[in-house]
């Protein structure tokens, strides 16, 4: 095939026949879509229905429009915050996708090289490839030699060498199989050229590529509701039933009592009595429903999504933030997540076991000889911008750590003109270069340590002197590093020429360099923290078992002899029942495939486990979509990001661990708010029923209940939403995917506070307080319940007895408290006939505050009993 490429006319014909090289954009939701989603939540739907009913009653003259306005304001705020939060998250995801998708490439068209956007590529184009570039479409190599990393497709980290096949005929009808990923000349979109250079002929673009096929499978994987969403639906149904029964019951009782005591004076009296009873019943229903709960959910979601962005976490699906806190099994990749994702030189040993490092000043002659060897025998090089390209990962890492720049490379090549060269190949497994020096020819050799060792008689010590070589010493070095999953490479020299293809004898051993894709800082500490938090961590990697086991052990994933490390082949041979028996002990799955990850997710979910799955390749997308929380790395493929819930922008496992703390904080803030708000709701329901039935007076007016229930509760949702993460949350076991929003502990706390609140409230009827409050009793009751609520908020936000703990990290709590008390004073003092309130004297205020303070020691008693 000639490399003239397509003509412009042929490009147009190909684009018309086979389509463009674009992936389908994910559906972008509009503000209206997100608004509709708001009212798919039961509790928001209840609020909307209540607002409509109150409007209807007000229009008929049987109620006050203020109730409808108050509820309507809450519904509008909830909807606005929800829509803004999700639109912002969607916009960030689209921008990240756009930046990651930006790809330019060089193609040959009409015999000329043209630099075009990858979306303009068509079938038949000749695309030039070089080290470091991402392959833009599926096709086959027609010129040159390259090594490719296919891990985004099959999870295999080993580089695959590609070469043209003479007279090759591409069959578009033949299905692509896993074997095609590693065959001689096929290349695929999304994979990366690691070394070499060449040209490919494009065979499939856009929707026909392997990337697109995996993307299509994601639509078949359903998405379950999160534990929080299920909990909110359950709470809404429960409160709706309780509130409805109470509201209906009190309405019927009020109508019967009116008929029994006064009878009905005509049809108009019946209508008025029934309407008044319905209004009172709806007032009780308003008291029962926690209007502030949807608001706090949206506020906490927005706040935590913002916090996560600062912590290198992009919440693509904000609803999964709290679900991260429930994770019981966290499956993570190794390369680039637990480790740096690139080879790091660790040590450089001479023949006597001395680690001389890689510094040319302190390492002496041996390091300078290593530099010569890497430049003359390696395939790594510098591009025009000084970036290291070509070669394999080991050569690039050594090239970098030795500080080789254009000047140093030019000097070495100038001082060592090449006389003869043997390139590395799979048969000889070494490379050798003979150069001309002032003292005669010298041959530099680079190979695996075992090969160098077999042909060496001497070694150069740290001082640059030649000494007899003790092979046993070098073997101990090799074995020691192999146990630590190090990759080792040895260099040597021979003063004399060499015959092409033959290893010289009598080599002088220079050094053995140990490299590894090392563990990121903080990973081991985070793994230990997750274990304390009850989260099992499993490494699923495409690497070999031996390397994976060592990294898992050093990072703390593998802790004891009972922990299991297996290969994907072993895993795939096991039945589901067998896997379920040993799953709690599995810590490593090596040589994992996309099928392995997806099957693991399915089995874990069948066992009722909440599973988090990390990935970076297109092959990981189905598993990420199926997991309870899917994490994509920042440099992962578009398909992978599309399938994920949270994107780890710094590719760091520590950030994944932090997302679990953020999720747990989210849930603690919600449950803290419930323990604050539900007692208020239940106290209001209780006194709204008991006072009319037992005493014959209304405890509070409907508009007062509305202020308490909406304004005060909604303000405090802001306060609780700002509560900071507490490290003690990571000492708790994970709640799991079936986590209940209302736990037994929450129920007990709410009931205790409700009973205490009703008791304190009834103290206003005791003789001393009746005399003190006099005609201002309604104002005192209104002020009392707000003071109790605010002080109860201080108590429930902490587990201990220091109710001021951590307030410096949440100044909003103090601000809201001040605003609430200032608003209370303004309502009581200036509310007048509108709020049915009158000002309190200093004595009355002090008496009210005294009663409100009783809630604090009562809370302390509960904490001591618990």
């Amino acid at each position: 095939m000639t490399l003239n490429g397509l003509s412009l006319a042929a490009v147009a014909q190909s684009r018309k026949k086979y389509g463009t090289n674009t992936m389908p954009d994910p559906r972008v939701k509009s503000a209206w879509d997100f608004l509709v989603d708001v009212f798919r939540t039961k509790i928001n739907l209840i609020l909307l229905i209540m607002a409509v009913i109150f409007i209807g009653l007000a229009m008929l003259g049987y109620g006050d429009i203020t109730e409808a306005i108050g509820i309507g304001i809450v519904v509008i705020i909830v909807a606005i915050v929800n829509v803004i939060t999700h639109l912002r998250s969607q916009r960030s995801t689209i921008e990240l996708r756009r930046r990651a998708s930006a790809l330019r490439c060089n193609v040959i068209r009409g015999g000329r090289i043209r630099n075009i956007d990858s979306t303009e590529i068509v079938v038949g184009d000749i695309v030039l490839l070089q080290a470091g570039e991402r392959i833009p479409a599926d096709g086959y190599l027609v010129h040159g030699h390259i090594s490719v990393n296919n891990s985004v497709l099959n999870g295999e980290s080993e580089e695959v060498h590609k070469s043209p096949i003479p007279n090759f005929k591409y069959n578009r009808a033949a299905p692509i199989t896993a074997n095609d990923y590693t065959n001689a000349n096929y290349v695929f979109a999304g994979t990366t050229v690691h070394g070499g250079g060449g040209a490919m002929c494009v065979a499939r673009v856009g929707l026909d590529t392997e990337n697109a096929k995996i993307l299509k499978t994601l639509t078949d994987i359903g998405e379950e509701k999160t534990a929080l969403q299920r909990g909110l639906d359950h709470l809404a149904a429960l409160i709706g039933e309780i509130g409805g029964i109470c509201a209906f019951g009190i309405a019927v009782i009020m109508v019967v009592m009116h008929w029994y005591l006064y009878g009905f004076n005509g049809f108009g009296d019946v209508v008025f009595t029934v309407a008044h009873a319905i209004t009172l019943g709806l007032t009780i229903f308003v008291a029962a429903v926690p209007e502030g709960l949807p608001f706090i959910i949206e506020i906490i979601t927005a706040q935590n999504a913002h916090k996560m962005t600062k912590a290198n976490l992009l919440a693509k699906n904000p609803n999964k933030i709290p679900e991260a806190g429930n994770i019981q099994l966290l499956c993570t990749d190794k390369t680039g997540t637990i480790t740096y994702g690139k080879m790091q030189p660790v040590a450089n040993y001479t023949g006597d076991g001395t680690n001389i490092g890689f510094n040319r000043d302190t390492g002496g002659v041996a390091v300078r000889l290593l530099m010569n060897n890497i430049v003359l025998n390696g395939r790594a090089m510098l591009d025009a911008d000084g970036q290291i390209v070509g070669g394999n990962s080991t050569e690039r890492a050594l090239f970098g750590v030795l500080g080789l720049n254009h000047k140093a490379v030019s000097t070495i090549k100038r001082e060592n003109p090449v006389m003869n060269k043997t390139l590395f190949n799979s048969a000889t497994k070494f490379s050798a270069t003979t150069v001309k020096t002032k003292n005669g020819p010298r041959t530099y050799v680079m190979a695996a340590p075992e090969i160098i060792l077999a042909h060496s008689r001497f070694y150069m010590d740290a001082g640059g002197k030649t000494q007899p070589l003790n092979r046993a010493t070098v073997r101990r070095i090799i074995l020691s590093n192999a146990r630590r999953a190090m990759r080792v490479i040895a260099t040597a020299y021979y003063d004399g020429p060499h015959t092409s293809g033959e290893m010289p004898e009598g080599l002088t051993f220079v050094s053995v360099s140990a490299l590894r894709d090392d563990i990121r800082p903080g990973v081991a500490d985070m793994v230990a923290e997750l274990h304390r938090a009850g989260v099992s961590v499993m490494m699923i990697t495409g690497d070999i078992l031996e390397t994976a086991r060592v990294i898992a052990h050093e990072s703390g994933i593998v802790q004891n002899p009972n922990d299991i490390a297996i290969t994907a082949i072993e895993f795939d041979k096991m039945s589901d029942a067998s896997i379920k028996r040993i799953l709690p002990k599995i810590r490593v799955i090596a040589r994992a495939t996309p099928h392995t990850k997806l099957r693991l997710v399915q089995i874990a979910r069948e066992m009722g486990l909440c599973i988090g799955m990390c990935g970076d390749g297109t092959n990981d997308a189905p598993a990420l979509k199926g997991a309870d929380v899917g994490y994509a790395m920042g440099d992962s493929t578009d398909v992978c990001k599309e399938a994920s819930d949270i994107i780890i922008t710094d590719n760091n496992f520590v950030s994944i661990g932090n997302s679990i703390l953020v999720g747990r904080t989210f849930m603690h803030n919600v449950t803290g708010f419930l323990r604050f708000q539900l007692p208020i709701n239940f106290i209001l329901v209780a006194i709204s029923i008991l006072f009319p039935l037992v005493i014959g007076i209304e405890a509070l007016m409907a508009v007062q209940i509305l202020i308490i229930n909406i304004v005060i509760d909604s303000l405090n949702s802001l306060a609780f939403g700002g509560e900071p993460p507490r490290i003690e949350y990571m000492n708790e076991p994970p709640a799991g995917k079936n986590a209940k929003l209302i736990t037994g502990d929450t129920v007990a706390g709410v009931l205790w506070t409700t009973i205490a609140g009703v008791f304190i409230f009834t103290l206003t009827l005791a003789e001393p307080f009746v005399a003190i409050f006099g005609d201002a009793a309604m104002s005192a009751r209104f002020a009392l319940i707000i003071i109790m609520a605010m002080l109860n908020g201080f108590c429930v936000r902490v587990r201990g007895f220091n109710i001021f703990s951590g307030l410096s990290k949440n100044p909003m709590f103090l601000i809201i408290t001040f605003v609430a008390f200032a608003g209370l004073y303004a309502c009581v003092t200036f509310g007048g006939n509108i709020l049915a309130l009158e000002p309190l004297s200093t004595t009355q205020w002090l008496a009210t505050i005294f009663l409100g303070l009783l809630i604090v020691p009562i809370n302390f008693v509960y904490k001591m009993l618990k």
Side-chain angles (χ1 to χ4, degrees):
M1 176 184 288
T2 60
L3 297 182
N4 290 326
L6 300 174
S7 65
L8 295 182
V11 168
Q13 292 175 354
S14 178
R15 184 174 289 119
K16 183 177 180 180
K17 183 176 181 179
Y18 297 109
T20 61
N21 191 37
T22 54
M23 297 288 282
D25 288 327
R27 178 177 174 266
V28 177
K29 282 191 171 185
S30 65
W32 173 256
D33 294 326
F34 288 125
L35 184 63
V36 172
D37 288 342
V38 171
F39 296 104
R40 288 198 174 106
T41 304
K42 290 182 180 178
I43 200 161
N44 290 328
L45 190 59
I46 289 173
L47 288 175
L48 184 63
I49 293 171
M50 286 169 56
V52 172
I53 292 174
F54 271 117
I55 290 173
L57 287 172
M59 292 177 65
L60 294 173
Y62 296 113
D64 194 337
I65 194 66
T66 54
E67 284 92 343
I69 293 173
I71 296 173
I73 289 172
V74 171
V75 171
I76 290 170
I77 292 175
V78 167
I80 290 173
V81 173
N82 181 289
V83 170
I84 290 175
T85 300
H86 283 82
L87 283 175
R88 183 180 296 154
S89 176
Q90 179 176 259
R91 189 163 52 248
S92 298
T93 304
I94 292 172
E95 175 61 20
L96 184 65
R97 187 177 189 271
R98 184 192 65 77
R99 292 200 305 267
S101 301
L103 182 65
R104 304 284 296 182
C105 53
N106 293 318
V107 302
I108 300 177
R109 286 181 177 172
R112 296 176 57 189
I113 297 176
R114 303 173 187 269
N115 184 262
I116 64 172
D117 191 278
S118 61
T119 59
E120 298 177 21
I121 289 173
V122 298
V123 171
D125 261 329
I126 302 297
V127 179
L128 301 180
L129 303 174
Q130 61 183 0
E133 290 184 344
R134 198 166 78 219
I135 296 174
D138 291 2
Y140 52 95
L141 203 67
V142 294
H143 177 74
H145 302 275
I146 60 175
S147 59
V148 178
N149 186 318
N150 283 328
S151 60
V152 297
L153 287 177
N154 62 359
E156 295 284 347
S157 58
E158 196 71 27
E159 295 173 12
V160 181
H161 296 280
K162 303 285 185 178
S163 301
I165 296 178
N167 304 315
F168 176 76
K169 299 285 186 180
Y170 186 82
N171 183 3
R172 287 185 57 85
I176 299 295
T177 68
N179 290 333
D180 292 321
Y181 297 155
T182 56
N183 76 359
N185 68 334
Y186 278 14
V187 290
F188 298 93
T191 60
T192 305
V193 180
H194 266 207
M200 65 172 284
C201 180
V202 175
R204 298 175 188 266
V205 294
L207 293 174
D208 291 330
T209 63
E210 288 300 289
N211 263 344
K213 291 178 182 177
I214 295 177
L215 181 62
K216 291 174 186 176
T217 66
L218 301 182
T219 58
D220 299 328
I221 302 176
E223 186 172 313
E224 293 184 358
K225 285 188 174 183
T226 66
L228 177 60
Q229 290 170 324
R230 292 192 297 271
L232 287 173
D233 286 346
H234 175 72
L235 180 63
L238 180 64
I239 291 178
E241 291 174 8
I242 295 174
I245 291 171
C246 291
F248 179 77
I250 193 65
V252 171
I253 290 172
M254 291 300 293
V255 171
V256 172
M257 284 182 63
H258 183 89
W259 170 76
Y260 179 76
L261 294 174
Y262 310 108
F264 291 120
N265 189 17
F267 179 74
D269 188 30
V270 173
V271 172
F272 181 83
T273 301
V274 171
H276 178 74
I278 292 173
T279 302
L280 181 60
L282 285 174
T283 300
I284 292 172
F285 195 80
V286 169
V289 175
E291 289 88 349
L293 185 56
F295 188 54
I296 188 179
I297 297 300
E298 299 307 330
I299 288 295
I300 295 178
T301 300
Q303 289 175 330
N304 280 283
H306 181 65
K307 289 177 184 176
M308 290 178 79
T309 302
K310 292 183 177 180
N312 303 310
L313 297 160
L314 174 61
K316 179 173 164 287
N317 183 354
N319 291 330
K320 291 299 182 78
I321 296 175
E323 193 77 343
N326 297 329
I327 288 175
Q328 296 164 298
L329 175 61
L330 179 61
C331 301
T332 177
D333 191 16
K334 175 185 74 71
T335 305
T337 308
I338 294 291
T339 65
Y340 282 101
K342 59 181 180 180
M343 299 302 294
Q344 303 276 336
V346 177
N348 190 33
Y349 302 97
T350 59
D352 59 6
T354 302
N355 181 6
I356 60 172
F358 299 93
N359 188 295
R360 70 183 79 178
D361 297 323
T362 59
V365 178
V367 171
R368 288 192 286 275
L369 290 173
L370 173 63
M371 293 171 64
N372 290 352
N373 223 315
I374 293 298
V375 171
L376 297 169
N377 278 315
R379 292 169 295 170
M381 64 187 72
L382 297 171
D383 64 12
D385 298 322
Q387 299 298 312
I388 303 171
V389 298
N392 57 36
S393 56
T394 299
E395 293 170 352
R396 291 193 295 271
L398 289 172
F399 209 92
V401 76
L402 290 169
L404 290 164
N405 52 31
H406 281 296
K407 182 179 179 181
V409 171
S410 298
T411 300
I412 291 172
K413 289 183 176 181
R414 185 178 66 253
E415 294 178 351
N416 297 277
V418 176
M419 300 172 62
N420 187 24
K421 197 177 188 74
T422 296
L423 297 176
F424 178 90
N425 61 62
S426 57
T428 59
K429 297 187 184 301
F430 76 92
S431 58
T433 302
T434 300
V435 298
K436 182 179 180 181
T437 71
K438 61 183 179 180
N439 296 321
R442 168 172 284 185
T443 301
Y444 289 97
V445 183
M446 182 167 63
E450 297 83 357
I451 297 175
I452 294 283
L453 193 60
H455 297 272
S456 297
R457 292 175 56 194
F458 309 97
Y459 79 95
M460 179 173 286
D461 64 19
K465 296 181 179 179
T466 302
Q467 308 283 358
L469 179 66
N470 184 339
R471 289 188 174 90
T473 300
V474 179
R475 289 193 184 97
R476 282 195 295 271
I477 296 171
I478 297 170
L479 182 60
S480 173
N481 283 280
R483 288 171 176 165
R484 297 169 56 205
M486 296 285 185
R487 183 178 296 180
V488 289
I489 187 169
T491 55
Y493 72 91
Y494 167 70
D495 282 326
H498 85 285
T499 303
S500 294
E502 295 182 10
M503 173 74 81
E505 296 293 337
L507 297 176
T508 298
F509 186 92
V510 174
S511 68
V512 55
S513 302
L515 305 90
R516 189 173 74 170
D517 182 7
D518 220 0
I519 298 171
R520 288 177 179 267
V523 167
D525 291 338
M526 178 55 72
V527 170
E529 187 173 314
L530 290 174
H531 284 161
R532 287 194 298 272
V535 180
S536 295
V537 181
M538 183 188 300
M539 179 193 293
I540 306 181
T541 176
D543 216 332
I544 62 174
L545 181 61
E546 290 75 15
T547 300
R549 185 187 282 118
V550 170
I551 296 295
H553 185 271
E554 292 188 11
S555 62
I557 294 174
V558 171
Q559 293 181 301
N560 58 67
N562 294 326
D563 290 337
I564 298 173
I566 58 176
T567 65
I569 295 175
E570 295 171 309
F571 182 87
D572 292 341
K573 288 179 180 178
M574 299 171 67
S575 66
D576 288 0
S578 299
I579 292 173
K580 289 177 182 178
R581 282 194 296 271
I582 67 169
L583 186 60
K585 296 181 180 180
I586 297 178
R587 294 292 177 266
V588 176
I589 301 179
R591 291 302 191 193
T593 65
H595 172 74
T596 308
K597 291 186 176 183
L598 184 57
R599 186 181 177 211
L600 177 67
V601 167
Q602 292 167 341
I603 291 174
R605 296 188 70 169
E606 287 175 9
M607 295 173 66
L609 295 174
C610 184
I611 181 171
M613 176 65 73
C614 310
D616 60 0
T618 299
N619 62 307
D620 296 325
L624 265 61
K625 183 74 172 179
D628 294 290
V629 184
Y631 294 95
M633 299 300 107
D635 58 1
S636 58
T637 64
D638 292 342
V639 176
C640 183
K641 288 174 184 169
E642 189 60 34
S644 70
D645 302 303
I646 297 174
I647 299 173
I648 313 300
T649 57
D650 66 344
N651 293 357
N652 198 332
F653 179 81
V654 175
S655 298
I656 301 172
N658 288 335
S659 74
I660 293 178
L661 175 58
V662 172
R664 291 191 177 189
T665 301
F666 188 113
M667 292 306 298
H668 272 275
N669 291 351
V670 172
T671 54
F673 178 74
L674 287 175
R675 292 186 64 175
F676 161 80
Q677 181 169 351
L678 290 181
I680 302 174
N681 294 106
F682 294 155
I683 290 169
L684 289 173
V685 170
I687 63 176
S688 296
I689 293 174
L690 293 175
F691 270 60
L693 292 181
V694 178
I695 307 170
I697 63 171
E698 289 183 279
L700 294 168
M701 303 297 290
V703 66
Q704 295 166 0
I705 291 176
L706 201 66
I707 290 173
I708 294 168
N709 217 21
I710 294 179
V711 179
I712 299 300
D713 292 357
S714 297
L715 280 175
N716 274 278
S717 68
L718 290 170
F720 277 91
E723 281 295 291
R726 300 177 189 272
I727 196 64
E728 58 260 33
Y729 297 160
M730 297 300 280
N731 295 329
E732 303 169 356
K737 66 189 303 176
N738 296 317
K740 294 181 179 179
L741 186 60
I742 305 295
T743 63
D745 181 52
T746 301
V747 171
V750 168
L751 287 177
W752 179 276
T753 308
T754 301
I755 294 169
V758 173
F759 169 74
I760 294 171
F761 201 84
T762 56
L763 289 179
T764 60
L765 302 175
E767 187 55 39
F769 296 106
V770 170
I772 292 172
F773 295 137
D775 293 337
M778 181 74 78
S779 295
R781 291 195 292 268
F782 175 75
L784 173 60
I785 199 163
I786 292 177
I787 292 171
M788 277 197 303
M790 299 306 298
L791 293 176
N792 182 55
F794 277 87
C795 293
V796 300
R797 59 174 290 275
V798 294
R799 295 179 179 180
F801 299 96
N802 182 5
I803 62 176
F804 302 109
S805 172
L807 282 176
S808 61
K809 296 181 180 179
N810 184 16
M812 182 60 70
F813 205 99
L814 290 175
I815 294 171
I816 293 297
T817 301
F818 175 79
V819 170
F821 281 130
L824 168 61
Y825 180 81
C827 287
V828 171
T829 306
F830 307 108
N833 293 331
I834 297 175
L835 301 180
L837 297 171
E838 59 181 89
L840 295 175
S841 67
T842 302
T843 302
Q844 290 169 334
W845 272 115
L846 289 174
T848 306
I849 293 170
F850 168 76
L851 289 174
L853 283 170
L854 292 177
I855 199 69
V856 177
I858 291 174
N859 260 296
F860 286 175
V861 171
Y862 172 76
K863 290 181 179 182
M864 287 187 290
L865 291 174
K866 190 177 70 169

